[in-house]
Amino acid sequence: MMAGGNGNGNGSGNGHSNGNGSSGSRGGYFLETELAWGQHATMPPWPDAKRGELLPPLREPVTGKPRLDVAQILAGKNILVIGTTGFVGKVALSMLLHRYPEVGKVFCLVRPGAGNTADERFYKKVASSEAFDPVRDVHGTGYDAFMRSKIIAVAGDIGRPLCNFTDEQFAEIEAAGGLDVILNSAGLVSFAPSLESALRINAMGAKNVLDVARKTGAKLCHVSTCYVAGRRDGDVWEDEPVVGYFPRSSTVSHDYGNEDELLDRDFDPVAEIADCQKIIDHARERSNDRQHISEFRERGAEALRTQRRDPDNENDLKIAVARERKIWLNDVLTKLGMERAEHWGWTNTYTYTKSLGEQIILSDTSVSSTIVRPSVVESSIRFPFPGWNEGFNTTAPLMYLMLKGHRSVPMGEDTALDVI
């Protein structure tokens, strides 16, 4: 990793080193990189790595401008981080506070839980995480005081207009110096979610964050996924137009063949969201017709009997009917979401709605925006410490099986697993 900074070389995460491994030079390698991979590393990065060779010098700027000094850029800047309760958000926030402690105020959007304020939920669920161990190591007993000097937990919900921020909250943000940047890593990552849930978080959520950026004058960094490319083969370059994109577009027909391409004029991201909302509204109307209500009552009563509860209890039956309606609605909207995503060439509802979110953001040229597209998010190599993970996802189940003695993993002979 390359970074600019104050070059104090103290090994606490703020130090940097140049290409020769000596600290105190601006614009060089981050100190952790030198210690882990350079000539002073205690172990080779791989078994047959050549020892004693210097790290290659950093590439000279090609723009005619000096290298970016990240620490200087972030010093005093106020940032709104959305998604800190998630896997990526925790690490991003921890790394920000660990490596750039001179950053200004960090506002963290947190949806209040049952009986908990945003502040209480942040310190219970986020600040207590092992992901912040590097920050604890630096500040020791002063960790809590440091966090409270930097973090302002704000109640909000990206699924609601303007993230559900009130005028009073916007006034408090302005009084603290306003916002310079919004980092949005929130998203519904389930690959087969209900169309309603995915649209609300991944598409309309992106719009709500964009509206906050426009209102506050902040720049926006939005975390998406590289799989918005959809069902395509070969190289997919990131300088392709984003707004109006769909994988089966005639402009990328070479990936599909003429028989599968669709007319570009048939797809419009704004109209697509409106159509999806019509689908959702129609499904909700169907769930309230007499036939379905009767079916839900029948299933609810049977579920109560299975649980050895009285199906004639009016309150219990009402709750059971509502549960059956919710299950039916989720199943229907999950199927409809997949059908719509696959028609346009996306692999699932997740990538479909994430692409719609990108297109909403980049359609608004009044806000300076950056889209980040990671691929697979895996356990950490180094930060916050080797092997840190949260949840049981991606290749973790395979690793767990092998740790428990399972030695055979079904796979194709030519299958390649790329982990970036």
Side-chain angles (χ1 to χ4, degrees):
M1 176 176 290
M2 295 179 287
N6 56 20
N8 60 21
N10 60 12
S12 66
N14 298 325
H16 300 77
S17 63
N18 61 19
N20 295 323
S22 60
S23 61
S25 175
R26 297 170 68 86
Y29 285 96
F30 193 74
L31 182 60
E32 286 185 8
T33 305
E34 166 61 28
L35 295 177
W37 306 102
Q39 62 174 334
H40 303 298
T42 57
M43 295 180 63
W46 54 88
D48 59 346
K50 296 179 180 179
R51 303 309 305 271
E53 291 193 4
L54 301 179
L55 286 170
L58 294 178
R59 183 169 64 90
E60 289 299 320
V62 295
T63 61
K65 299 178 181 179
R67 294 190 184 97
L68 296 177
D69 187 328
V70 180
Q72 185 180 59
I73 291 172
L74 291 178
K77 296 295 192 298
N78 291 346
I79 301 175
L80 169 62
V81 182
I82 302 174
T84 54
T85 57
F87 177 77
V88 174
K90 285 189 180 74
V91 178
L93 179 60
S94 174
M95 188 174 288
L96 174 68
L97 296 173
H98 178 250
R99 296 185 174 177
Y100 308 106
E102 299 305 318
V103 68
K105 294 295 183 181
V106 181
F107 297 88
C108 295
L109 184 150
V110 181
R111 188 171 57 185
N116 290 322
T117 65
D119 187 77
E120 290 170 341
R121 188 164 182 240
F122 175 84
Y123 281 96
K124 286 180 180 178
K125 187 170 183 178
V126 181
S128 61
S129 169
E130 291 179 326
F132 291 85
D133 281 357
V135 185
R136 289 189 187 89
D137 292 342
V138 172
H139 296 280
T141 57
Y143 169 73
D144 189 66
F146 170 75
M147 293 292 283
R148 292 191 178 277
S149 72
K150 292 292 179 182
I151 302 295
I152 300 177
V154 289
D157 183 349
I158 69 165
R160 296 181 178 275
L162 287 174
C163 296
N164 214 30
F165 288 166
T166 64
D167 291 340
E168 290 75 14
Q169 286 175 305
F170 280 116
E172 290 174 5
I173 291 173
E174 186 63 29
L179 289 178
D180 296 289
V181 180
I182 298 175
L183 171 60
N184 177 32
S185 66
L188 185 62
V189 186
S190 172
F191 293 154
S194 159
L195 176 62
E196 183 175 30
S197 299
L199 192 73
R200 181 172 64 88
I201 301 300
N202 295 339
M204 296 309 297
K207 178 186 181 301
N208 297 332
V209 174
L210 176 71
D211 291 342
V212 172
R214 189 188 309 107
K215 184 178 179 68
T216 59
K219 295 177 174 61
L220 173 60
C221 179
H222 176 76
V223 180
S224 183
T225 170
C226 71
Y227 297 106
V228 293
R231 296 185 183 277
R232 290 179 60 184
D233 295 326
D235 296 331
V236 179
W237 299 98
E238 291 199 342
D239 58 358
E240 288 187 6
V242 174
V243 180
Y245 170 82
F246 63 100
R248 290 182 65 186
S249 163
S250 59
T251 60
V252 292
S253 61
H254 58 278
D255 291 323
Y256 267 88
N258 292 332
E259 70 277 5
D260 283 332
E261 74 176 57
L262 301 175
L263 295 177
D264 288 9
R265 66 172 179 266
D266 288 343
F267 182 86
D268 176 83
V270 176
E272 191 67 16
I273 291 173
D275 288 345
C276 285
Q277 192 58 56
K278 292 176 184 176
I279 291 172
I280 294 167
D281 293 341
H282 179 62
R284 285 192 169 278
E285 288 179 7
R286 286 180 58 202
S287 71
N288 286 323
D289 68 32
R290 291 181 179 274
Q291 175 192 337
H292 285 105
I293 291 296
S294 178
E295 291 176 356
F296 301 152
R297 185 176 290 111
E298 186 177 29
R299 294 174 193 166
E302 181 60 31
L304 290 174
R305 281 190 286 269
T306 302
Q307 300 167 15
R308 299 182 182 276
R309 297 166 64 187
D310 183 7
D312 294 325
N313 184 296
E314 187 174 339
N315 288 333
D316 287 351
L317 183 59
K318 184 178 180 180
I319 294 172
V321 168
R323 182 173 60 248
E324 293 298 329
R325 177 179 179 271
K326 183 177 181 180
I327 292 172
W328 179 89
L329 196 59
N330 183 77
D331 290 344
V332 168
L333 289 176
T334 296
K335 180 180 178 181
L336 291 173
M338 286 294 292
E339 287 178 355
R340 199 165 188 94
E342 290 175 350
H343 171 76
W344 296 117
W346 279 286
T347 53
N348 49 48
T349 310
Y350 165 65
T351 55
Y352 164 62
T353 53
K354 289 296 282 187
S355 180
L356 290 178
E358 286 189 6
Q359 297 187 46
I360 290 172
I361 290 173
L362 295 183
S363 294
D364 188 339
T365 57
S366 68
V367 176
S368 180
S369 305
T370 297
I371 304 294
V372 180
R373 291 171 170 171
S375 55
V376 178
V377 178
E378 278 286 355
S379 302
S380 63
I381 294 177
R382 191 176 307 115
F383 190 97
F385 51 82
W388 184 80
N389 202 334
E390 191 175 66
F392 198 58
N393 48 32
T394 321
T395 61
L398 298 178
M399 303 304 162
Y400 181 80
L401 284 174
M402 287 185 275
L403 284 171
K404 292 298 182 180
H406 192 84
R407 292 292 180 262
S408 299
V409 179
M411 61 178 293
E413 183 178 350
D414 298 324
T415 300
L417 174 63
D418 291 333
V419 178
I420 302 175

